Amino acid sequence: MRRSQRIAAITKWLVERPHHVFSLTDFSQQFAAAKSTLSEDLAVIRQTFSELGMGKIQTIAGAAGGVRYVPDLHSTELLRRIEKLCQKLAEPQRVLPGGFIYLNDLSACPTSLGEIGEIFASPFWERNPQYVVTVETSGIPIALMTARSLNIPLVVVRRISRLTEGPVLTMNYVSGSTKRVETMSLSRRDLPTKSRVLIVDDFMKAGGTLRGLVDLMAEFECEVVGKGVLIETAEPAKKLVTDYLSFIRLTNVDESDLQVLVEPADWIKESIPQL
Amino acid sequence: MRRSQRIAAITKWLVERPHHVFSLTDFSQQFAAAKSTLSEDLAVIRQTFSELGMGKIQTIAGAAGGVRYVPDLHSTELLRRIEKLCQKLAEPQRVLPGGFIYLNDLSACPTSLGEIGEIFASPFWERNPQYVVTVETSGIPIALMTARSLNIPLVVVRRISRLTEGPVLTMNYVSGSTKRVETMSLSRRDLPTKSRVLIVDDFMKAGGTLRGLVDLMAEFECEVVGKGVLIETAEPAKKLVTDYLSFIRLTNVDESDLQVLVEPADWIKESIPQL
């Protein structure tokens, strides 16, 4: 195969499995090419991705070494994507009676979800989580695409446990906004104890659910290395969790004017280098 | 940019959005390159993907034309993936008390889910579905990765409707195996009427849930262009739905011997060209 052909094949493999470390030996056998030749191929891919802001190609040295694709977004690209989401969220037809907003379509489009997965992966990948944890149902698509961007498994905590899960750990918690008692449960098999986990959810008001997930992780003796929510409401200002990262802040939904006030979180705006 | 660099960038875009039609004009502006040059670049990618069985690069003629990546699996690759899944399913530690089997890990690994998404997309993409429809919870990861492979939105039918979904259509149905009355509901906004839908689920016994989904689609005046389940049980032999496609057949779970008997569906074995 020619260089351009090897580059097409290697790019496909790398992009389809972000964060997976491919060994140069495997590539070398696949293409019957010398490692030095493959290093040159990878240099072309690295330079192209870097020039076009398409993420990083990283070389890992040592016996377990190789090369991997890291979808790490520039802060300007992160802000661009969040602003695009904010525009979508501000559409007046989203406003539902009672001041709720319709969000189902956010977790419907695979392309948009892929972008959101990279948004979540960017600030958290260096903390080396081993599992992405979310609670059913609406957070699953976002959490799965985050898990895909990080190349780690997804763990879904259930509201109702099922017969087909084996022994489960069930926990009651108090919802932060409605003050009702809710239940969550997780199969013992789904998550090994002592794991490093990243908690992901789509929406947070008072943070009761996120707090429940943190407590559940403690029962599994897992270390929570990050907590991320896509959208948090400005009210109530006091949340039941600390040290979380939110990407979008929802300040107001006006039912009479059909106005939704949303903006990127401060830390994202502040991360943009000033000119 | 040199040819090898353009090929790296174009491959990434194509692979990240299967079935999306990219216009040559866009590529041409991006790289300041002539369309004839880009056609040569695409020919290299097409030939490489074809030689390595990595899916198809299709050119679409006309005003809305361009180029797209179609992850269409060879029948031998389809069988290889299904056999790999069958091996995983046959692991004795999956057997749970009562003859159930633990399946949660199947919808945990993003790489494996990506492969399953391509498995579902392969026999159905030519029927041009506009939406992938599933019911919460365990089918969501498979359905999302199928939607990703097809570049169409995912619609999740709920067991319990929520306040934040707007008007919903709720339907009762009888579970095929337990004969209990169950409920499913779908927000009116989630799925436009008259759409072409592909129904996807992870597991089917008698087919009551699938039948419920088919009936719900009729209420939305949608055309069901395909029904796919990853695993179906051999018993009961009589199912409540017809014209579905299953990929894996589960014939027996022996609780005392810890044996799980699974095999690829007949149509997959028969699709392999005989030598």
Side-chain angles (χ1 to χ4, degrees), chain A residues 1-9 11-13 15-17 30-31 44-45 47-49 51-52 54 69 93-96 100-105 107-111 113 118 136-138 140-141 144-145 147-148 151-154 156 158 160 162-167 187 189-190, chain B residues 1-9 11-13 15-17 30-31 44-45 47-49 51-52 54 69 93-96 100-105 107-111 113 118 136-138 140-141 144-145 147-148 151-154 156 158 160 162-167 187 189-190:
Chain A
M1 279 203 163
R2 285 170 311 182
R3 161 145 300 156
S4 52
Q5 287 192 292
R6 287 193 306 269
I7 285 176
T11 302
K12 181 169 191 281
W13 287 323
V15 167
E16 281 190 330
R17 295 186 69 180
Q30 173 84 37
F31 296 114
V44 173
I45 302 175
Q47 196 199 335
T48 309
F49 280 27
E51 279 177 25
L52 298 174
M54 286 174 141
Y69 161 60
Q93 66 269 28
R94 280 187 192 279
V95 180
L96 296 171
F100 293 102
I101 58 170
Y102 174 81
L103 295 172
N104 283 6
D105 61 332
S107 43
C109 167
T111 306
L113 284 166
E118 291 180 353
E136 63 182 350
T137 300
S138 58
I140 298 176
L144 174 56
M145 294 314 261
R148 185 181 177 277
N151 192 38
I152 57 178
L154 168 70
V156 178
R158 307 275 177 167
I160 306 152
R162 298 184 317 160
L163 210 51
T164 54
E165 302 196 299
S187 167
R189 293 194 183 198
D190 284 3
Chain B
M1 278 203 163
R2 285 169 303 160
R3 161 144 302 155
S4 53
Q5 288 193 292
R6 287 193 307 268
I7 285 176
T11 301
K12 181 169 191 282
W13 286 323
V15 167
E16 281 189 329
R17 293 187 70 180
Q30 173 83 38
F31 296 115
V44 173
I45 302 175
Q47 196 199 335
T48 309
F49 280 26
E51 280 176 26
L52 298 175
M54 285 173 141
Y69 161 60
Q93 65 270 28
R94 277 184 194 282
V95 180
L96 295 172
F100 293 102
I101 57 169
Y102 174 82
L103 295 172
N104 284 6
D105 60 332
S107 43
C109 167
T111 306
L113 283 166
E118 291 180 353
E136 62 183 352
T137 300
S138 57
I140 298 176
L144 174 57
M145 294 315 260
R148 185 180 178 277
N151 192 38
I152 56 179
L154 168 69
V156 178
R158 305 277 177 166
I160 306 151
R162 298 185 316 160
L163 210 51
T164 54
E165 303 196 298
S187 167
R189 293 194 183 197
D190 284 2

